[in-house]
Amino acid sequence: MRAKAGGVELDYQIEGQGPWLILSHALTTNHSMWDLQMPQLIRKFRVLRYDMRGHGHSAAPEGPYSFDELAGDVLGLMDALGILRASYIGLSIGGMIGQHLALRAPERFERMVLANTTSRISPEGVALWDERIRLVETQGLETIVQGTLERWFTAPYRQTY
């Protein structure tokens, strides 16, 4: 399904019954990263998972995107779907978005789980991300795949899977 939120078309999926739970994915992934957790989550929650702008099947307007825009997208999606209050789980950049949501609209959230995230990126980290962005823009996403796999997974795991 798609809805306009924060001025951009976002792809989303809703499953389950119960109180609202919003899932926000990590950078360079999409809402399918939560597939394995869904059977358990939908037992107790009505789960909204979405592709953030520039990811999955959501629109990818010219960037860069600010955290204010990314948080606004979540609030806009909540408004479009009539969600007054929800719990929220964010992984990595999804956790960073969650921090902005907690500061911007705390009354909209029951609780938050912010996993594998940070509240800021060091200047060195910014330089690394700028280089990855440059590589993707000039040479394509394939140029960062190997390095990403090496950072995320051990060698034995990569060899097995």
Side-chain angles (χ1 to χ4, degrees), residues 133-145:
I133 291 166
R134 186 193 66 73
L135 285 170
V136 169
E137 289 178 340
T138 60
Q139 300 174 36
L141 189 58
E142 311 79 40
T143 60
I144 66 165
V145 170

Side-chain angles (χ1 to χ4, degrees), residues 56-67:
H57 295 290
S58 289
E62 283 293 316
Y65 309 146
S66 70
F67 279 105

